[in-house]
Amino acid sequence: MSSTASGKNGTWRNWGGTVSARPARQVEPASAEELAAAVRRAREDGLKVKAVGSGHSFTSIAATDGVLIRPHLLTGIRRIDRASMTVTVEAGTPLKRLNAALAREGLSLTNMGDIMEQTVSGATSTGTHGTGRVSGSIAAQIKGFELVTADGSVLTCSEKENPEVFAAARIGLGALGVVTAITFAVEPLFLLTAREEPMPLERVLAEFDELWAENEHFEFYWFPHTGNTNTKRNNRSAGPEQPVGRLAGWFEDEFLSNGVFQVTQWVGRAVPATVPAIAQISSRALSARTYTDIPYKVFTSPRRVRFVEMEYAVPRAALVATLRELKAMIERSRLRIGFPVEVRTAPADDITLSTASGRDSAYIAVHMFRGTPYQAYFTAAERIFTAHEGRPHWGKVHTRDAEYFSRVYPRFGEFTALRDRLDPDRLFQNDYLRRVLGA
């Protein structure tokens, strides 16, 4: 798989270059039965088990020195049920393949994130999300799934079947078993009109509640060292389709957002003093544009500039205060931040360890170009986020542990109790899970 970096000598590396692991063996099962057999064999050999998707997590959530399960043979649509408007897909299916296949069938997910390189199981297990007033994360669109547990049995889970496992394992962190297939709710293919336009940060913050309320999907990027943002509003449209022209699309999405941006990041990494001036230019480079297309062509965009990311969900009501504190911190510090800060929202959901579990949420994501020292920035940002009871994205950089999570997730104990029941011997344990869920 293109986005999984896999090095020599059986070393596995993630996309961001932040994690590497040397598993004792790697397994590529082609069916749920083969996967279950691999789990049973690992157990007999006294080896831990982790499944890895496309390596898009910045944390070591998928790292293991035991058995690494690569799901890239578990791909494709298993069935489409037009009566219940669901689609069942194999766990290793990349989101981009799912999106394209659904579109050919005249179907779509309701909402999605802005990257589609991940596998469906990797994206859902870590809580990948986009932005939405009433539609939540990808995991919130799950209607059922199949899970291989520590004893090698295959559980089918939904609201009716194994409901307590369904409540938790939609975002299961790989701690409860290995997902082999997922059933998503889908709807007839629709059109979205995207309106992208620059807007002063002060105006966005002053009008945030209205911008959120008036749009189905609102997000914005703030450029540190400037008072500028780029806003994006996606709303359903009756059409007609008016996609971004090929030349304009190439210019904005490839040349500016990936090509020129890559060069500015190289310059900023080499000469940090240039970053504020570059930010002023970058934040004005993208002009306003409006286009109408099918959902995945509006929600997602290519990300070729490699970065490291931290993202926290704070209560939506705390967003403006949190962002003002982040801005003040950057202005007080000697930090030079060349990557925009991304802000999105999600409605409360009922998934045990979802970052939006039980509360309407706003997401603030901070990024640094790969190879640039990021610890000082991320540490200072994390201090602000945690003061607002922030919940970090499970697949992005953070330093929180089980003690912290037991305070910010009201149902944390439910998850750990279920884990004790499904995986008492910690077959799916690794260092990351030991830290975030406790021993």
Side-chain angles (χ1 to χ4, degrees):
M1 286 171 61
S2 60
S3 46
T4 303
S6 199
K8 296 174 183 142
N9 326 325
T11 302
W12 172 85
R13 284 190 179 79
N14 69 340
W15 181 87
T18 51
V19 179
S20 62
R22 291 196 63 177
R25 63 174 180 253
Q26 299 193 31
V27 184
E28 300 179 1
S31 66
E33 293 72 35
E34 281 182 25
L35 200 154
V39 167
R40 287 193 293 270
R41 192 180 149 212
R43 192 186 183 97
E44 286 157 16
D45 295 345
L47 293 170
K48 302 291 186 194
V49 178
K50 291 311 308 170
V52 65
S54 57
H56 256 267
S57 288
F58 298 97
T59 59
S60 53
I61 191 165
T64 186
D65 57 5
V67 176
L68 189 70
I69 293 175
R70 308 288 291 268
H72 52 272
L73 299 180
L74 287 169
T75 58
I77 292 180
R78 225 185 245 189
R79 71 180 165 272
I80 293 173
D81 184 338
R82 290 182 189 271
S84 66
M85 286 306 277
T86 58
V87 59
T88 302
V89 287
E90 304 287 348
T93 310
L95 285 167
K96 60 182 173 189
R97 280 186 53 189
L98 172 63
N99 288 336
L102 286 177
R104 283 196 297 273
E105 296 285 345
L107 301 168
S108 178
L109 293 170
T110 298
N111 198 355
M112 57 194 79
D114 56 4
I115 297 178
M116 54 175 180
E117 303 300 321
Q118 311 100 312
T119 59
V120 293
S121 56
T124 54
S125 295
T126 55
T128 296
H129 61 89
T131 189
R133 187 182 57 208
V134 293
S135 54
S137 69
I138 304 179
Q141 299 169 68
I142 294 178
K143 289 293 179 194
F145 55 85
E146 190 178 81
L147 185 75
V148 173
T149 55
D151 60 5
S153 55
V154 183
L155 281 189
T156 308
C157 306
S158 66
E159 283 177 347
K160 295 190 176 70
E161 231 178 325
N162 298 302
E164 72 296 345
V165 181
F166 179 73
R170 281 173 285 170
I171 298 180
L173 319 185
L176 305 174
V178 180
V179 175
T180 51
I182 301 176
T183 300
F184 291 103
V186 290
E187 56 176 305
L189 194 62
F190 54 94
L191 292 174
L192 283 172
T193 292
R195 223 177 111 194
E196 297 174 8
E197 65 173 323
M199 197 180 284
L201 177 66
E202 280 308 317
R203 185 180 152 199
V204 174
L205 296 182
E207 299 176 13
F208 178 75
D209 289 340
E210 295 94 284
L211 288 163
W212 169 82
E214 288 164 8
N215 295 284
E216 289 171 72
H217 310 273
F218 176 69
E219 64 188 297
F220 67 94
Y221 295 85
W222 164 57
F223 295 80
H225 311 296
T226 80
N228 307 328
T229 77
N230 205 40
T231 62
K232 185 172 181 181
R233 292 171 250 201
N234 299 330
N235 289 289
R236 294 200 181 209
S237 164
E241 255 181 75
Q242 287 179 311
V244 176
R246 282 185 66 179
L247 184 61
W250 174 83
F251 183 72
E252 294 263 334
D253 299 325
E254 287 300 336
F255 182 69
L256 290 180
S257 299
N258 284 301
V260 173
F261 189 54
Q262 175 89 41
V263 174
T264 64
Q265 294 300 313
W266 283 331
V267 172
R269 185 170 68 187
V271 191
T274 60
V275 167
I278 291 171
Q280 287 290 350
I281 299 162
S282 300
S283 66
R284 294 194 167 95
L286 295 170
S287 50
R289 62 175 182 173
T290 302
Y291 52 96
T292 302
D293 214 328
I294 60 174
Y296 83 86
K297 294 185 178 178
V298 174
F299 284 131
T300 69
S301 51
R303 290 276 188 278
R304 305 195 205 290
V305 179
R306 304 237 168 177
F307 52 82
V308 181
E309 179 177 1
M310 168 183 280
E311 180 184 66
Y312 267 75
V314 296
R316 201 183 69 233
L319 169 73
V320 173
T322 308
L323 211 55
R324 285 196 189 286
E325 289 165 37
L326 185 69
K327 183 171 185 282
M329 178 275 290
I330 292 171
E331 285 166 359
R332 272 198 319 272
S333 74
R334 301 181 63 180
L335 295 169
R336 294 293 172 259
I337 314 302
F339 238 96
V341 173
E342 183 180 22
V343 179
R344 296 175 290 175
T345 68
D349 64 39
D350 63 352
I351 305 170
T352 316
L353 290 188
S354 163
T355 45
S357 184
R359 73 182 191 195
D360 291 338
S361 300
Y363 294 96
I364 304 175
V366 296
H367 311 70
M368 283 294 255
F369 184 44
R370 191 162 89 173
T372 311
Y374 62 85
Q375 283 83 356
Y377 177 34
F378 284 15
T379 300
E382 190 172 41
R383 203 172 292 133
I384 293 166
F385 300 149
T386 54
H388 292 280
E389 297 198 332
R391 298 168 177 170
H393 188 303
W394 296 107
K396 295 174 186 175
V397 177
H398 68 89
T399 65
R400 302 295 89 192
D401 59 15
E403 192 269 327
Y404 177 83
F405 291 125
S406 67
R407 295 203 309 272
V408 297
Y409 283 100
R411 295 165 60 196
F412 188 76
E414 274 177 47
F415 190 96
T416 53
L418 181 65
R419 183 186 184 213
D420 289 341
R421 196 186 97 204
L422 290 179
D423 187 14
D425 303 324
R426 300 293 187 257
L427 181 70
F428 302 114
Q429 174 85 287
N430 66 2
D431 290 344
Y432 181 79
L433 293 183
R434 195 175 288 112
R435 168 162 72 93
V436 301
L437 297 176

